[in-house]
Amino acid sequence: RQSSCGVHFFATPEVPEGYKIQFLPGFVEELVVNDDPEYKWIDKIRTPRASNEARQLLFMKLSGEVRRKIGLKALELGANAVIGYRQLFDLEGETGIAVRGIGTAVTLSRLQPEE
């Protein structure tokens, strides 16, 4: 499976309002590292704006990749959501950019009005 479609991500560490936890498989994390375009040889002939745009595009792609991988891990554990989701970017200089994602995989269900 390539997609984590259907997995909900919540930044809040608490159970979101209107939901209850059915199952709590546990902690999920992912780390992705890629080359930093700021340190490539082409950057010496690129304008600062083009270099910044290349870096911003890479941030967006890496963010999506980490989120997708964490969603897949959550699905493998039988979860349908990740709560307390955090994503951290580390600029490692010449070694590249590291993106970390962490959260807690849970199975959530909507509360019925009488609950």
Side-chain angles (χ1 to χ4, degrees):
R1 182 174 180 156
Q2 297 288 325
S3 172
S4 63
C5 191
V7 176
H8 299 279
F9 287 82
F10 298 95
T12 178
E14 294 99 29
V15 177
E17 190 173 333
Y19 290 92
K20 66 179 178 179
I21 292 182
Q22 298 286 10
F23 176 56
L24 194 144
F27 185 74
V28 286
E29 53 85 26
E30 186 62 49
L31 172 70
V32 175
V33 179
N34 204 324
D35 293 334
D36 188 347
E38 292 279 322
Y39 289 92
K40 289 188 175 176
W41 67 269
I42 192 129
D43 193 50
K44 294 179 180 22
I45 58 172
R46 253 194 308 215
T47 65
R49 179 180 177 154
S51 180
N52 186 48
E53 287 173 355
R55 199 178 214 193
Q56 293 299 319
L57 179 63
L58 180 63
F59 286 164
M60 187 178 69
K61 286 180 179 179
L62 293 176
S63 175
E65 182 180 346
V66 167
R67 195 173 177 135
R68 189 170 34 261
K69 287 182 175 184
I70 286 185
L72 286 170
K73 285 183 178 182
L75 287 172
E76 287 173 9
L77 295 171
N80 67 357
V82 177
I83 60 173
Y85 182 68
R86 295 207 42 209
Q87 207 170 63
L88 307 156
F89 290 83
D90 291 324
L91 305 176
E92 305 288 340
E94 290 186 26
T95 57
I97 298 172
V99 185
R100 292 171 177 82
I102 59 172
T104 304
V106 295
T107 300
L108 296 177
S109 63
R110 286 203 180 268
L111 288 174
Q112 301 302 319
E114 61 273 357
E115 291 185 80

